[in-house]
Every structure is written in C-alpha cells, then in structure tokens.
Amino acid sequence: MKLTFFQDTDNPVALGSFSYAESTPYEAIFPSRSVGTPLLEIKASDKWFVVQDFAVNLLRLSWNLSQARVGDRGTRLSPFLSAPFDRPQLQVVTASFSPFGSEEPNLWGNWAFGNIRTPPNLVIFGNSDGPGSRMSWLQNGFQSNGSYLNSG
C-alpha cells in the first residue's frame, strides 16, 4: 500500500509504503495473565495480515519497521498487523497501556515511529480512534524566531 503524508490537505510532504502477504492471514493465541479472563485469539477468518515492509521518508528522515515502538515502555508482543479489507487499519497486539489500563493482550492501534521529545523531535504515529485508524505525524522544535510545530 502506498502512503502519502500531508501538512495541509493539499500539501504532500512525505511518501511511504507498506506491504503484507495477502495469501497468509495471521493467526495467534495470546494467553491471559489472570485466571478467568478470556484469551485474545486472532483467527485467519479475521483477515489480519503481518506487515512485512514499512518505509516512510518524511522531512529528510527515513523510518522502517525496526524503529517502531508501542506505548511509553516500547513493548511489542506481536508484529504490526494490517486489516486492509473491512476496516483499514494498522495495529499491534500489546499488553502495555491498553485502552482501559489492563495488562492483558489487546489489539491496539496506538504505535509510533520516533519520539517528539528527543531530536529530531519527529514522530509518525497511529491512532485507533473510531472504526478505522489513521497515521499522523508531528514535529516539534525551536528556531531563532520562536518555537514551531509541524503536523499532518
């Protein structure tokens, strides 16, 4: 899939892509950490696929799958997964900082490449709000005329 990142609705600032093996749906069972809590099971019929390649060039910086992190702890329990058919989104299975503070495995769309707090102060991130998901970018920095913030 090809990706285009915009600063404004008409101003593309980055290109990227990711791919997945459409012939091989992802299947996994993640055990619960507490008794009586259901397991997280991803079936082939759920149509999730492992993202094999992810590449973005944004503001003269390059990003790939090895630079991904999830939550402030950087925990990843599974590869990135794509659900391209019914609900286009990229997610991971994680047990850190899930929506309700649980430590149980969840499909989670909040992931990031980079860090807004450390140079070059640029982050690409996923957001799972709503029925699908989206990717956004944010750059924070300082110039001689004051602070600036770029996003898209």
Side-chain angles (χ1 to χ4, degrees):
M1 300 190 110
K2 294 194 183 294
L3 304 170
T4 303
F5 291 83
F6 294 87
Q7 183 162 3
D8 300 314
T9 46
D10 298 328
N11 185 18
V13 294
L15 297 175
S17 64
F18 70 90
S19 65
Y20 56 90
E22 192 172 315
S23 62
T24 312
Y26 181 75
E27 295 182 276
I29 297 175
F30 294 91
S32 175
R33 293 185 183 182
S34 58
V35 178
T37 305
L39 302 174
L40 172 62
E41 182 175 2
I42 301 172
K43 301 173 188 169
S45 60
D46 294 330
K47 297 181 183 174
W48 287 96
F49 300 90
V50 174
V51 173
Q52 297 171 331
D53 296 302
F54 180 96
V56 173
N57 291 309
L58 175 62
L59 304 177
R60 296 184 297 275
L61 294 172
S62 296
W63 308 92
N64 63 48
L65 277 178
S66 70
Q67 297 163 304
R69 64 182 176 81
V70 175
D72 291 339
R73 298 178 192 170
T75 303
R76 247 175 52 190
L77 299 182
S78 78
F80 270 86
L81 302 175
S82 173
F85 302 110
D86 300 332
R87 56 203 180 284
Q89 51 192 308
L90 285 174
Q91 297 197 348
V92 292
V93 175
T94 182
S96 66
F97 293 95
S98 60
F100 305 105
S102 165
E103 290 293 322
E104 295 298 325
N106 287 288
L107 273 170
W108 187 232
N110 293 359
W111 47 264
F113 293 85
N115 190 327
I116 194 67
R117 295 177 191 96
T118 59
N121 304 92
L122 177 66
V123 65
I124 298 169
F125 57 95
N127 186 328
S128 62
D129 293 341
S133 68
R134 65 175 185 250
M135 278 186 242
S136 301
W137 67 276
L138 184 65
Q139 181 188 38
N140 190 17
F142 189 78
Q143 293 179 329
S144 59
N145 62 350
S147 65
Y148 65 97
L149 182 66
N150 291 318
S151 64

